[in-house]
Amino acid sequence: MEESKPYPVFAVAKDGTRHKIDATSIIIQLEEEEIEISLIPPHPVFQGKLTLATGSAIQGREQERGLGTQLIIEPGAANVIHITPKKNKNT
């Protein structure tokens, strides 16, 4: 089976210059919640697609968030979506 290759990733400075980042994932923290973007596709078939996962869905980190977090995805403008992490409550 073909191995998944990491996506090329860059930080963009205020002046617009790009700086290559050597990482396997990026974590965006929104208040007490996090969205982790894996920079390696979960399977070679997904090469060219961006996969978002919450902490509880990431292999080896199942216990990190208790009941887990879901991602709420809402449309915005024509080329915009809003992604909000929402922690599942224990009821």
Side-chain angles (χ1 to χ4, degrees):
M1 177 170 39
E2 182 183 335
E3 187 176 322
S4 295
K5 297 179 183 174
Y7 298 116
V9 180
F10 303 87
V12 180
K14 288 182 181 181
D15 65 1
T17 58
R18 291 179 171 205
H19 304 277
K20 187 152 177 59
I21 297 173
D22 182 23
T24 57
S25 66
I26 293 175
I27 295 176
I28 300 171
Q29 191 161 353
L30 302 169
E31 298 176 4
E32 75 279 353
E33 296 296 335
E34 295 177 346
I35 295 175
E36 183 164 359
I37 301 173
S38 175
L39 303 178
I40 301 173
H43 189 277
V45 170
F46 295 121
Q47 189 74 35
K49 296 181 181 181
L50 185 62
T51 302
L52 301 177
T54 58
S56 60
I58 297 168
Q59 188 174 5
R61 295 174 60 189
E62 296 86 356
Q63 301 302 317
E64 184 176 304
R65 300 222 180 185
L67 294 174
T69 302
Q70 57 184 319
L71 296 177
I72 308 301
I73 301 172
E74 301 171 302
N79 62 346
V80 174
I81 59 170
H82 301 282
I83 301 173
T84 307
K86 181 178 176 187
K87 187 170 280 197
N88 293 330
K89 304 284 185 203
N90 187 4
T91 55

